[in-house]
Every structure is written in structure tokens, then in C-alpha cells.
Amino acid sequence: MFLESKASKVILALIAILLVVTTGKEWFDFYQCGAVNDCLADARTLQFFTKFAMSCLLTVLAFIVSRDSFSKLDAKTLRIAFIFSLLADFSFCMIKVIAPDQRALSDIIGIAFFIMFQVGLIHRHTRKSETDDKPGKVHKFLLIPVAGFAAALFGGNVIEPTLDNITLVIVVVYGIFVITSMVVGILAPRNSYFPAANAQFIRWGMVTFFFGDVLVGLALMTGEDHSAVQAVAEIANNFVWWVYVPAQVMLILGTKKGIRHGGTLETTISER
């Protein structure tokens, strides 16, 4: 078993229950409303609570598993990243409950926090030693699109800084970050800083996370009520957390000490 502690198993069981409840309610709403965005959006209050609860549990799981990490520095980085992930899900879910008229703003704030989540993961996955705690070349490269789009929005008349344009720009910036993060995760060194099994979890976690974001992108599409485009968006939305949760769990397992790989037991940084 990858997770031996009772607390971890209880958390995973609770997440599984919440995921089933969330999915059941999503498909029930789709059956009741059809592909009508406003109707579905108004019916999602329960899902906002269950999704945020799952995010809280995933963050707790990250803190619990990282206590038995192969690296203290990796554990610290993972915890910081998951705090940003939690803040992102709070923005996506609870701001819509607190201020239902500010859905666009909640999405902008949520995506901004997920950019910080990806920054943390990129920093984690580009690390080459236990003392390597400074931003690398990848971070400097990513400053270019951020600075460019910020200048276009607020430094002149290139792009009018409306809410819709800000949303579009931040989505594009996030796309650059998540693609970079996936590539970095795939290239995570197998036989240097990360033990082989941990690197494998990171690779699959980042690939899965990327496809989850593809589903999110499809879910953000809008079309006429009952149209094929709107139906695709709503169906994609109903599958997002079935991809998101496994991705987060795999990223968490990427820090665990002593995962077996190919019949051998991985060692910690200090043991190698």
C-alpha cells in the first residue's frame, strides 16, 4: 500500500464519498436542466461545498504524507503548493457561494492562485539537490509572458482592461504555465534528486492534471441553451474532479519516502 496510515485511508475514503455525491448531483442537475448554463450554475451550491471539502482533505493529505517525505525540502515545497491549490479552490467554489454575482471575478482569482500552484510545482520538479532552493531558469522564462500580457493590459492601449479581457489573458498565461509544468514534471530526473518511483508519480500526476485542465477548458465554453457546444461544456465539467483528484493524489505520493519501484525499496536523500 502507498498510504499506510489510518488517517490517510480515512481521508481517501471521505474524498471518494464526496466525489460520488458530487458526481451524482452534477448528473442529476444535467438531467433536470439540460444544457442550460444559468440553470446548472444556480443548481451547483452543493457541489461548491463538496468540491471545496475535497480540496481541504487533499491539502490535509499532502501535509500528512509529506511528514514521511524522502526530502524535507520537497515536503515544504509541496505543502506551500497545496496551500495555493486550496486558495484556488476556495475562490472557484466558495466565492461563488458568498457572492454569486461575482462568478467571473472568482474565476480570475482562482486561476491566479493556480498559477502560483504551478509555480510551486515547477520549482519542486526542477530541483536537482537538497540545497537547490532558488528559482531556476524556467521561472525567469515564464516572467516574459507574464510581463508582456501585464504590459498589454495595463501599460497602454493594446488590450482594454475589461473583466472579460483580463479573464482571457489570465487563462492564456495559466495555459503557458501548466504546459511548462507538465513538461517539467515529465522530465523530472529519475535517478538524481527524485527516487524513481516518486518521479513516476510526478510524471503521471502532471499529465493527468493537464488533461483535467483540458476538461476545465471545455467546461468554460459557452453556447446557446441546449446546443451541442453547451452540452459538451457541461459534460466535461462533470468529469473534471474525476481527473483532478487522482492527479493531486499522485503529486502528493511523489514526496513519500520508501515507495517500492520494480521490486526495490527507494531510499531517502540522506541514505543515498
Side-chain angles (χ1 to χ4, degrees):
M1 291 292 292
F2 298 121
L3 299 173
E4 297 88 358
S5 72
K6 290 183 179 179
S8 297
K9 292 177 181 178
V10 169
I11 288 172
L12 286 177
L14 290 173
I15 291 173
I17 292 169
L18 288 169
L19 187 56
V20 170
V21 171
T22 302
T23 304
K25 182 64 163 55
E26 299 266 46
W27 285 107
F28 176 77
D29 291 343
F30 186 65
Y31 174 77
Q32 291 286 99
C33 295
V36 180
N37 183 59
D38 288 342
C39 176
L40 288 165
D42 292 338
R44 283 175 180 152
T45 301
L46 174 64
Q47 291 94 301
F48 290 145
F49 283 104
T50 56
K51 288 176 181 179
F52 182 61
M54 284 189 281
S55 183
C56 290
L57 290 169
L58 285 167
T59 304
V60 172
L61 184 66
F63 274 74
I64 290 174
V65 174
S66 61
R67 290 186 304 187
D68 189 32
S69 175
F70 74 93
S71 156
K72 290 182 179 180
L73 193 55
D74 188 69
K76 179 181 177 181
T77 308
L78 182 72
R79 290 170 182 174
I80 293 172
F82 266 80
I83 289 173
F84 282 116
S85 176
L86 179 65
L87 290 171
D89 286 324
F90 176 85
S91 302
F92 280 125
C93 298
M94 302 315 296
I95 289 181
K96 288 185 175 71
V97 173
I98 298 167
D101 294 333
Q102 300 297 325
R103 290 173 182 169
L105 182 61
S106 76
D107 289 340
I108 291 172
I109 297 172
I111 295 169
F113 277 126
F114 263 129
I115 288 175
M116 296 308 300
F117 173 67
Q118 295 300 340
V119 168
L121 292 181
I122 291 168
H123 180 53
R124 177 197 186 197
H125 302 154
T126 53
R127 184 176 292 129
K128 296 180 180 179
S129 71
E130 189 64 4
T131 57
D132 183 9
D133 59 355
K134 295 180 180 179
K137 295 179 181 179
V138 176
H139 292 82
K140 296 176 183 177
F141 166 77
L142 289 170
L143 286 175
I144 297 173
V146 173
F149 280 115
L153 269 174
F154 305 110
N157 298 320
V158 180
I159 303 175
E160 186 180 354
T162 62
L163 197 61
D164 287 342
N165 285 342
I166 292 172
T167 302
L168 177 61
V169 166
I170 200 168
V171 167
V172 172
V173 170
Y174 177 72
I176 295 170
F177 273 75
V178 74
I179 290 171
T180 303
S181 187
M182 179 182 67
V183 172
V184 167
I186 291 172
L187 298 177
R190 252 185 96 149
N191 296 313
S192 54
Y193 181 69
F194 288 99
N198 299 67
Q200 197 76 336
F201 273 119
I202 288 169
R203 286 192 188 93
W204 283 109
M206 285 311 308
V207 170
T208 305
F209 197 99
F210 173 78
F211 282 108
D213 278 332
V214 171
L215 289 174
V216 171
L218 292 173
L220 289 174
M221 296 190 308
T222 56
E224 297 292 330
D225 290 346
H226 305 294
S227 66
V229 171
Q230 194 61 50
V232 169
E234 302 305 344
I235 292 170
N237 175 78
N238 293 358
F239 283 105
V240 168
W241 277 75
W242 281 95
V243 180
Y244 180 66
V245 170
Q248 294 284 64
V249 172
M250 283 188 279
L251 290 173
I252 292 169
L253 287 172
T255 199
K256 194 175 186 309
K257 178 176 66 178
I259 298 176
R260 293 187 179 275
H261 178 80
T264 61
L265 189 66
E266 297 295 330
T267 58
T268 65
I269 291 291
S270 61
E271 291 170 338
R272 285 187 283 156

